[in-house]
Amino acid sequence: MASEWSPGSSSRRTFIKQTTGLAGLTLAPMNQAEPSAPGPTLVQGATELSLRINGRVYSLRAEPRTTLLDALREYLHLTGTKKGCDHGQCGACTVHVDGERITSCLTLAIMQQGKQITTIEGLAKGDQLHPMQEAFLKHDGFQCGYCTPGQIMSAVACIREGHATSDDQCREWMSGNICRCGAYPNILAAIREVASSQ
Amino acid sequence: MNPTNNPTFADQQSSSDVVGKPLVRVDGRAKVMGAAVYSAEHNQLPDLAHAVIKTSDVAKGRITGFDDSAAKRIPGVLGIFTHLNLPPLAQTPSTSEGKKKIALAMQMSFTPLTSDQIFYAGQPVAIVVADTLEHAQHAAALLKVSVVAETPVVSYRDTQAKLFTPTEGAAAQVPAKRGDAQAAFSNAPVQLTLTCQHATNHHNPMEPGATIAHWEAADRVTVYDTTQAIASTHKALYVMLGLPPDNVRVVTKFLGGGFGSKLTMWPHTVLTAQVAKAVGRPVKLVLTRPQMFTSMGHREDQQQTLRLGATKEGKLLALLHEKISTTSPWDNYAEMNSKIVHMLYACPNFDASVKLARANVMTSTYMRGPGEAPGSFAIECAMDDLAYQVGLDPIAIRLLNHADKDPGTGKPWSSKSLKQCYERGAELFGWGKRNPKNGATRQGNKLVGWGMASGSYPVHDAQGNARVRLYADGHALVQAAATDLGTGTYTIITQVAADSLGIAPENVYFELGDSALPTTAMSGGSRAAGTVSSSVFLAAQDVWQKLIKLAIADQHSPVYKAKPADVEAVKGRLQLKADSTKGEAFITLMQRIGLDDLEGVATGHYGSSYESPEATLNTPQAKKDDAASHSMHSFSAHFCEVEVDTELGTVHVTRWVSVVAAGRILNSMTARSQVIGGSIFGIGAALMEGTVRDPHLARYTNASLADYHVCVHADIPEMTVAFIDEEDRYINAMGVKGLGEVSIVGTSAAVSNAIFHAIGHRLTSLPITPDKVLKALRKTQ
Ligand code: FES
Ligand code: FES
């Protein structure tokens, strides 16, 4: 494996599709393993991928090394999910996969096939905003708005996880989402309001 | 002033139905839905290709060759550009002619990919374009660059560094001396010397710098860029590309923060335009986070020494400020810390100096509160020390030295409510209950401290244009080439337009972020709110003047045949001043006379070039200089509580109060957010932000968001913000001073002062990390 990933090696474009072995990379616990293929499958070069995003199936042609984040932004033009660092350090790219928050820059699109992916674009029901989106508006939980999709996706999951039961707990569990504009107190107010109304 | 303005509308905007109210951001819905399109997201362009910059790992040296054999083999590669094959620019800021033409639109005069020389680590040495991002990244990784490395100079502290006193450039603009500060200091009964060290800081807006260049014809390009300054990016591009201004269009509809990093144009923007032209396809370039540390400037690493002389009672006699900092091989830039030392307190003797050392770094740049942020750290920590030394409360020492007029120029303030800031802040914070003893408030293994500091920021002169088109159906299109980097421009201007036109904010469509719109000031130096709001307000007055002319000529109008000066516009109604029942809504008039829409334009002035309508129209020439004869600043006071863990040395901010006096507040909610954001920026600078260059390689060792720490949720307590109502008749038609910078100035000092109060030691090397706190605490034990 090691040599597969060394920069400069052309085999970096190959990917061993082994559902159980690599799912850990998503940081999301494997609660519902999909029926795994009998052995590793070698996927090479641009391939047809199919992703279930916001309840819709999207097809795209991308390489195995394409991250979920780049697949969303550059291939599917779902640019609501933001890239702030590409290294799992800022949270701007947070999406839900099977209901759990993950940083979409740290997972490959190919690994997320067959899962339910929710992005910021899929949070509202048509014109009706999700209560978290409403709360962000009401409390001015953002300025430039660039970290906002990630904050909102993280916030929704944070409540679902039961990690927004006190101010301090919520601060701690939201600390993976950086806001350089410094909207933290307002974001906290928004999350806590939604949490307490549930 | 627009000549069409008439004394009828003299004075400032006064009716406020929505101005000042906490209107929810008009662009908020798009932002929370992920529908706001930022500069890197104009994906609709046909055949959009991707560029990736390859940067130098060494900080000094010479490129001896490239090996692109492997890179070229990557499918989809459209071009690999280096100094050897990149088509040249018409102008660069590296020549004196180019520099003159580009002026302040670019901060760094060096243009990468024009020679084999390497001057700093992270300098672009090649740019690779491919059909997909993955292909471009892979090819850039495979491109081999051979370099002969030399020993770099790392900073002003490097033994190789040569200090010099700049005679030109921004670093030479030292405020004028007054009195004889050296002598006054030597004779002062109380003498204090404070030396502060500041680590390099990086803006790190969450949205990285990004550019999409789309050549619509061989001589016509649209550039979607992350810029806080449409007009100057536009200028830099047309000059460098050698195109007529009309052939270059710059678009920035949404901007993911900037904090100064996106204020002037940087080389990657023009590089993108160059390679897009060369490959004949629209090209997108997004800087990586590590590249953000070497592409868009930084706040320079610096040391400042402030010597302060005072009477035994604590009255200032002398202030002597010295600054030493690192600059690039080409430019003389240093943020001017001494500006605020010069004006914050009444003090008869003042002197300042700046020294620079060239090192192998890119040119540093404006960062939130440039000059004032670090300058306030020095003066506000020193005032705190003085208070301690003479046995006064920190607020008392500041009141004792309050500057009733500008100590630098002797001019009266256009408005100043600093005393009210202290008073209100003290009340909100409960300052009266402060333990006067330092290092004496314990809570378990924590020491608790309360600190405060003042802030101030000048009104920088600016002007800008706006266009207002009012439609007969009651809605309006308002345009100015401003940007909204999260500061709320979209919202506050919508509010101003709504009130000026007497229509509801939902009927205002404010368009910004496009060089095709009326040129206006950059969003920087706290200029935008005051400039754009004034120009929009005045453009609305232009609309009214035109409508009044039509009304008095229309025999069905209730104001038919009235004198223009006898008619006023109130909440969208044109009526007689003497009898408000004689009038009608503009909609009625426009529909009756069959006028679908009407346009007004105006230039708004901000700062000393502003002439109040009163001054220009009703008063003798002598009073015209009214605005110029005032010193214009916003003021603030920040209050901070910290808990210092005596075992771990960690500092946690547990309470915060900011009180700001910045003229008219256009939206109480977005204004509060901006102030909170500024304080958090300052808390970060005080406690954790610092970029470290390797002492041998001059390469940043922590160029990532995992290693360059900024505040996160867990660092920030509940924060209280209050504004002091101010009416300033001298600054602009709206009486707005701007908030972006004054919200950070003084904040780092407030944190340091709270730490001083908590542990009884003055820490002046930023950031104040746990190791420094522990070292100080060990001195006591
Ligand atoms: S972009 Fe994924 S965490 Fe920053
Ligand atoms: S709103 Fe700008 S980074 Fe959070």
Side-chain angles (χ1 to χ4, degrees):
Chain A
M1 273 302 280
S3 69
E4 303 273 347
W5 290 92
S6 70
S9 141
S10 64
S11 60
R12 186 165 172 256
R13 285 182 294 136
T14 63
F15 177 84
I16 309 252
K17 192 175 182 235
Q18 192 179 33
T19 334
T20 45
L22 283 167
L25 284 181
T26 65
L27 303 181
M30 279 283 299
N31 42 12
Q32 275 264 286
E34 55 178 306
S36 56
T41 325
L42 191 69
V43 185
Q44 197 160 7
T47 325
E48 291 300 329
L49 302 179
S50 156
L51 294 172
R52 179 173 284 277
I53 304 163
N54 304 328
R56 215 184 111 181
V57 176
Y58 289 82
S59 303
L60 66 150
R61 210 179 149 69
E63 293 182 69
R65 63 179 164 184
T66 303
T67 63
L68 176 58
L69 175 59
D70 286 336
L72 292 170
R73 285 177 64 80
E74 306 300 343
Y75 290 78
L76 302 173
H77 310 311
L78 289 166
T79 54
T81 307
K82 304 301 180 196
K83 185 186 279 190
C85 71
D86 214 15
H87 283 70
Q89 300 166 343
C90 76
C93 65
T94 306
V95 299
H96 296 172
V97 172
D98 289 343
E100 309 215 9
R101 51 175 163 170
I102 65 161
T103 47
S104 61
C105 66
L106 284 189
T107 186
L108 303 175
I110 196 170
M111 296 158 71
Q112 303 307 332
Q113 299 190 95
K115 311 242 177 93
Q116 300 283 351
I117 300 163
T118 309
T119 70
I120 189 72
E121 288 94 343
L123 211 54
K125 291 206 169 59
D127 255 5
Q128 202 197 335
L129 295 183
H130 184 280
M132 191 63 77
Q133 292 169 312
E134 289 286 6
F136 266 63
L137 285 178
K138 177 177 159 198
H139 292 279
D140 207 31
F142 55 92
Q143 291 186 49
C144 76
Y146 198 81
C147 73
T148 311
Q151 300 278 1
I152 291 175
M153 297 310 286
S154 224
V156 169
C158 187
I159 293 179
R160 204 182 285 151
E161 293 157 11
H163 290 146
T165 58
S166 74
D167 285 356
D168 276 344
Q169 183 197 37
C170 186
R171 285 188 183 109
E172 193 65 32
W173 285 87
M174 285 300 294
S175 282
N177 288 82
I178 296 176
C179 176
R180 187 55 159 163
C181 295
Y184 298 128
N186 299 353
I187 295 172
L188 183 80
I191 302 175
R192 293 281 291 141
E193 182 177 280
V194 177
S196 65
S197 72
Q198 285 182 350
Chain B
M1 275 306 292
N2 189 297
T4 58
N5 281 305
N6 180 294
T8 313
F9 300 103
D11 216 342
Q12 298 177 320
Q13 210 274 356
S14 54
S15 89
S16 58
D17 282 348
V18 284
V19 164
K21 304 272 155 59
L23 184 74
V24 169
R25 286 176 199 262
V26 299
D27 54 337
R29 213 180 146 84
K31 284 177 174 175
V32 299
M33 294 181 82
V37 177
Y38 293 75
S39 298
E41 298 169 354
H42 294 268
N43 284 357
Q44 77 287 354
L45 300 171
D47 283 333
L48 183 60
H50 295 261
V52 168
I53 286 181
K54 174 107 179 166
T55 58
S56 169
D57 293 335
V58 306
K60 189 175 185 211
R62 199 169 57 79
I63 300 167
T64 54
F66 296 93
D67 177 359
D68 64 358
S69 50
K72 263 196 323 218
R73 280 202 295 274
I74 297 298
V77 169
L78 301 166
I80 299 172
F81 300 94
T82 70
H83 70 277
L84 299 172
N85 65 344
L86 185 71
L89 290 161
Q91 290 284 355
T92 74
S94 326
T95 66
S96 58
E97 192 198 344
K99 204 183 175 83
K100 219 166 127 194
K101 287 194 170 147
I102 295 163
L104 299 174
M106 287 190 88
Q107 173 75 349
M108 182 164 75
S109 61
F110 169 68
T111 310
L113 270 69
T114 52
S115 84
D116 59 356
Q117 296 296 309
I118 292 171
F119 296 98
Y120 58 97
Q123 175 185 320
V125 292
I127 178 164
V128 178
V129 187
D131 59 345
T132 67
L133 178 60
E134 292 79 15
H135 286 151
Q137 284 169 333
H138 194 185
L142 294 180
L143 177 67
K144 288 202 180 77
V145 187
S146 310
V147 174
V148 177
E150 294 164 42
T151 309
V153 179
V154 179
S155 75
Y156 70 88
R157 300 165 83 164
D158 195 312
T159 49
Q160 303 298 309
K162 292 189 193 71
L163 288 180
F164 67 98
T165 303
T167 51
E168 53 179 11
Q173 314 296 316
V174 184
K177 62 185 264 180
R178 55 180 187 262
D180 184 345
Q182 185 58 58
F185 176 75
S186 309
N187 298 325
V190 178
Q191 296 177 348
L192 248 162
T193 300
L194 190 83
T195 299
C196 314
Q197 250 115 27
H198 299 253
T200 305
N201 277 191
H202 276 86
H203 312 75
N204 274 314
M206 291 315 296
E207 177 202 31
T211 308
I212 295 177
H214 179 209
W215 290 83
E216 284 129 354
D219 62 349
R220 181 176 293 273
V221 65
T222 296
V223 177
Y224 305 87
D225 191 45
T226 51
T227 178
Q228 297 172 233
I230 296 280
S232 63
T233 295
H234 175 245
K235 177 161 92 173
L237 280 172
Y238 73 70
V239 171
M240 293 178 86
L241 296 170
L243 292 172
D246 289 347
N247 291 19
V248 176
R249 182 172 164 217
V250 176
V251 177
T252 308
K253 290 295 173 185
F254 286 93
L255 192 59
F259 316 111
S261 63
K262 298 170 180 170
L263 201 53
T264 67
M265 196 180 85
W266 300 98
H268 66 268
T269 299
V270 74
L271 272 177
T272 311
Q274 284 172 280
V275 298
K277 179 152 199 196
V279 303
R281 282 168 69 162
V283 169
K284 178 195 292 198
L285 171 83
V286 182
L287 297 174
T288 65
R289 183 55 60 180
Q291 286 175 348
M292 283 299 287
F293 289 78
T294 49
S295 302
M296 304 185 82
H298 54 272
R299 198 196 291 282
E300 66 268 18
D301 44 316
Q302 53 191 282
Q303 174 176 305
Q304 40 180 352
T305 303
L306 182 64
R307 283 180 293 157
L308 176 159
T311 65
K312 282 202 189 64
E313 295 72 36
K315 245 187 143 19
L316 287 174
L317 295 170
L319 288 166
L320 280 145
H321 185 269
E322 285 163 25
K323 174 178 165 170
I324 304 174
S325 59
T326 305
T327 192
S328 67
W330 330 273
D331 302 309
N332 289 350
Y333 181 77
E335 52 179 339
M336 200 48 70
N337 303 7
S338 49
K339 283 182 294 176
I340 190 165
V341 181
H342 186 245
M343 55 63 65
L344 195 55
Y345 296 107
C347 177
N349 302 290
F350 164 87
D351 204 356
S353 70
V354 168
K355 283 199 168 63
L356 296 177
R358 300 210 183 279
N360 291 98
V361 293
M362 76 178 306
T363 306
S364 57
T365 194
Y366 314 96
M367 182 161 164
R368 204 167 193 174
E372 275 75 8
S376 66
F377 184 75
I379 179 76
E380 286 302 274
C381 289
M383 289 304 279
D384 216 60
D385 281 348
L386 179 63
Y388 183 72
Q389 198 149 327
V390 302
L392 278 180
D393 178 85
I395 295 182
I397 196 89
R398 288 168 170 87
L399 289 172
L400 180 68
N401 290 288
H402 184 266
D404 297 328
K405 55 184 193 217
D406 185 329
T409 60
K411 289 180 185 176
W413 306 106
S414 63
S415 58
K416 178 176 182 179
S417 311
L418 181 56
K419 285 181 182 171
Q420 291 90 320
C421 291
Y422 295 145
E423 200 181 303
R424 184 93 183 94
E427 192 182 292
L428 288 167
F429 192 81
W431 186 257
K433 296 197 282 287
R434 181 176 183 267
N435 185 344
K437 251 177 90 67
N438 279 5
T441 312
R442 234 175 215 288
Q443 252 168 43
N445 64 344
K446 307 260 174 69
L447 284 167
V448 180
W450 292 6
M452 58 81 59
S454 336
S456 177
Y457 195 75
V459 167
H460 291 302
D461 293 354
Q463 67 175 53
N465 309 306
R467 182 158 54 218
V468 168
R469 188 185 295 159
L470 186 63
Y471 289 87
D473 67 359
H475 88 278
L477 172 68
V478 178
Q479 296 175 316
T483 58
D484 186 336
L485 55 154
T487 44
T489 317
Y490 270 119
T491 310
I492 58 175
I493 299 308
T494 298
Q495 291 172 276
V496 169
D499 277 4
S500 309
L501 295 168
I503 59 180
E506 50 274 22
N507 292 332
V508 173
Y509 176 63
F510 175 47
E511 200 185 350
L512 53 63
D514 188 331
S515 59
L517 303 176
T519 305
T520 191
M522 62 175 86
S523 293
S526 299
R527 289 173 180 88
T531 312
V532 185
S533 65
S534 294
S535 56
V536 167
F537 168 68
L538 294 171
Q541 306 315 308
D542 190 28
V543 167
W544 293 131
Q545 286 308 309
K546 289 172 177 165
L547 274 177
I548 287 172
K549 279 202 189 108
L550 293 168
I552 59 178
D554 174 26
Q555 52 176 331
H556 300 294
S557 162
V559 299
Y560 179 52
K561 284 197 166 161
K563 283 208 220 60
D566 293 337
V567 184
E568 61 181 355
V570 176
K571 302 196 177 199
R573 250 174 80 84
L574 299 169
Q575 61 193 34
L576 285 183
K577 278 181 186 167
D579 178 3
S580 64
T581 61
K582 289 226 164 51
E584 63 183 347
F586 73 87
I587 299 179
T588 317
L589 170 72
M590 286 175 77
Q591 290 182 351
R592 186 175 60 243
I593 62 175
L595 186 67
D596 288 340
D597 66 83
L598 186 73
E599 231 169 69
V601 291
T603 302
H605 292 266
Y606 179 59
S608 64
S609 61
Y610 169 62
E611 295 165 340
S612 68
E614 261 168 15
T616 46
L617 296 158
N618 296 340
T619 50
Q621 187 69 20
K623 277 198 93 179
K624 270 202 166 186
D625 290 336
D626 234 19
S629 62
H630 287 82
S631 182
M632 302 173 179
H633 286 256
S634 49
F635 291 91
S636 60
H638 306 281
F639 294 77
C640 169
E641 178 187 85
V642 295
E643 282 181 10
V644 181
D645 187 309
T646 51
E647 281 153 23
L648 298 173
T650 48
V651 177
H652 197 202
V653 174
T654 45
R655 275 193 317 128
W656 190 272
V657 172
S658 288
V659 185
V660 178
R664 185 197 297 259
I665 299 302
L666 294 171
N667 180 319
S668 55
M669 182 162 73
T670 59
R672 176 179 171 275
S673 297
Q674 213 176 352
V675 172
I676 286 175
S679 299
I680 293 175
F681 221 90
I683 293 170
L687 296 178
M688 60 194 84
E689 291 188 35
T691 333
V692 181
R693 283 193 294 278
D694 180 279
H696 305 291
L697 302 170
R699 195 158 70 200
Y700 287 114
T701 58
N702 59 336
S704 78
L705 288 175
D707 301 306
Y708 181 91
H709 292 175
V710 300
C711 289
V712 298
H713 281 279
D715 295 312
I716 298 305
E718 203 180 309
M719 300 178 107
T720 303
V721 175
F723 294 100
I724 304 294
D725 272 340
E726 270 188 336
E727 206 187 302
D728 193 320
R729 306 173 63 81
Y730 301 106
I731 44 176
N732 53 55
M734 289 298 298
V736 171
K737 286 181 184 171
L739 284 171
E741 334 286 328
V742 76
S743 61
I744 186 177
V745 181
T747 52
S748 301
V751 175
S752 171
N753 292 343
I755 296 173
F756 179 51
H757 185 232
I759 68 172
H761 293 280
R762 169 64 61 191
L763 295 176
T764 55
S765 166
L766 297 187
I768 304 171
T769 42
D771 52 319
K772 296 173 189 169
V773 177
L774 282 180
K775 206 168 146 196
L777 283 169
R778 281 194 199 111
K779 283 190 211 155
T780 348
Q781 286 156 7

